[in-house]
Amino acid sequence: DARVTQTPRHKVTEMGQEVTMRCQPILGHNTVFWYRQTMMQGLELLAYFRNRAPLDDSGMPKDRFSAEMPDATLATLKIQPSEPRDSAVYFCASQRGPSGTDTQYFGPGTRLTVL
Amino acid sequence: AQSVTQLGSHVSVSEGALVLLRCNYSSSVPPYLFWYVQYPNQGLQLLLKYTTGATLVKGINGFEAEFKKSETSFHLTKPSAHMSDAAEYFCAVSEINSSASKIIFGSGTRLSIRP
């Protein structure tokens, strides 16, 4: 049963520290999304990639957030420096292709707490 | 640009009662519509989707939704609620442009089931 995996599942850190979250998309999926979920804002799209190239990162605070796909099996989301307002659950999702009809498969999320 | 509006952030029904979660969309082109479900401490998973063809779409766990173009609606229903249906439900529309497609999620509806 193919799944999107995310590490770590939980992260507690102090303000100012660097945080790196990792995602392994489903093998063969060429589109990867990063979302952030909070009680106040709901589910927000931060960035997404197709064939490892960034297509849209307009939802991401550019000054502190960065997203990359070093290879087809790994996507990373980095926050440097982290702030308490970054506390949220971060989800990665992957999709087989570019079609608007394709299903997104979500990972279990990384729960980030910034103290 | 496409958007979705979910009416009611919280819906509570008795076990065995009809479940109705409302979703209205806005789209200048024929939409692709989705319902996703999120169980506690998990990522989202697809319940059902409408792309083309039959307007009544059946999904997993006994849920179904009907695409009504005249009403710009895609309400989710289940004839008889089960305790295991307690979760958050997200309506979504696929935003398609010439180079990419992404999903626009609604704000979510939390479904509670009373014994």
Side-chain angles (χ1 to χ4, degrees):
Chain A
D1 185 21
R3 299 185 182 191
V4 175
T5 58
Q6 291 185 247
T7 57
R9 291 294 312 276
H10 302 272
K11 176 72 175 180
V12 181
T13 191
E14 292 188 346
M15 183 174 62
Q17 295 299 305
E18 178 178 298
V19 175
T20 299
M21 291 169 271
R22 293 177 175 80
C23 166
Q24 182 172 11
I26 292 173
L27 190 64
H29 285 196
N30 68 8
T31 305
V32 176
F33 303 82
W34 281 106
Y35 293 91
R36 176 171 64 184
Q37 187 176 39
T38 61
M39 290 291 292
M40 294 299 295
Q41 301 296 327
L43 198 61
E44 304 173 274
L45 177 64
L46 297 175
Y48 70 110
F49 294 77
R50 178 153 306 129
N51 295 322
R52 298 174 54 200
L55 285 188
D56 185 350
D57 61 1
S58 59
M60 207 163 62
K62 299 292 191 303
D63 56 339
R64 299 183 299 108
F65 284 60
S66 62
E68 295 180 341
M69 280 200 75
D71 61 59
T73 64
L74 177 64
T76 62
L77 179 66
K78 188 175 297 185
I79 308 174
Q80 168 62 19
S82 58
E83 298 180 1
R85 59 180 168 151
D86 300 329
S87 297
V89 182
Y90 291 81
F91 289 103
C92 173
S94 73
Q95 180 175 304
R96 180 176 300 279
S99 171
T101 62
D102 287 341
T103 299
Q104 289 190 19
Y105 294 85
F106 282 74
T110 293
R111 183 175 296 275
L112 174 65
T113 302
V114 183
L115 303 174
Chain B
Q2 285 90 341
S3 66
V4 290
T5 301
Q6 292 185 241
L7 302 175
S9 60
H10 185 207
V11 170
S12 180
V13 303
S14 298
E15 190 174 17
L18 171 71
V19 175
L20 171 61
L21 304 183
R22 300 178 187 273
C23 173
N24 287 91
Y25 69 90
S26 172
S27 177
S28 57
V29 298
Y32 299 141
L33 296 161
F34 307 79
W35 276 98
Y36 280 79
V37 61
Q38 184 180 28
Y39 298 104
N41 299 313
Q42 295 185 26
L44 282 69
Q45 65 182 85
L46 182 71
L47 263 183
L48 50 80
K49 63 181 174 182
Y50 168 78
T51 55
T52 58
T55 56
L56 182 62
V57 181
K58 295 186 184 299
I60 62 172
N61 301 337
F63 284 92
E64 60 183 36
E66 186 170 11
F67 170 60
K68 292 188 176 181
K69 184 178 178 181
S70 61
E71 299 178 6
T72 61
S73 70
F74 190 57
H75 301 331
L76 182 70
T77 61
K78 181 174 180 177
S80 176
H82 193 272
M83 296 300 291
S84 61
D85 295 327
E88 184 131 20
Y89 292 79
F90 293 88
C91 182
V93 62
S94 189
E95 180 178 283
I96 302 165
N97 60 37
S98 59
S99 62
S101 63
K102 60 184 180 183
I103 289 180
I104 308 299
F105 286 92
S107 56
T109 298
R110 182 167 299 278
L111 176 64
S112 300
I113 311 297
R114 302 188 299 271

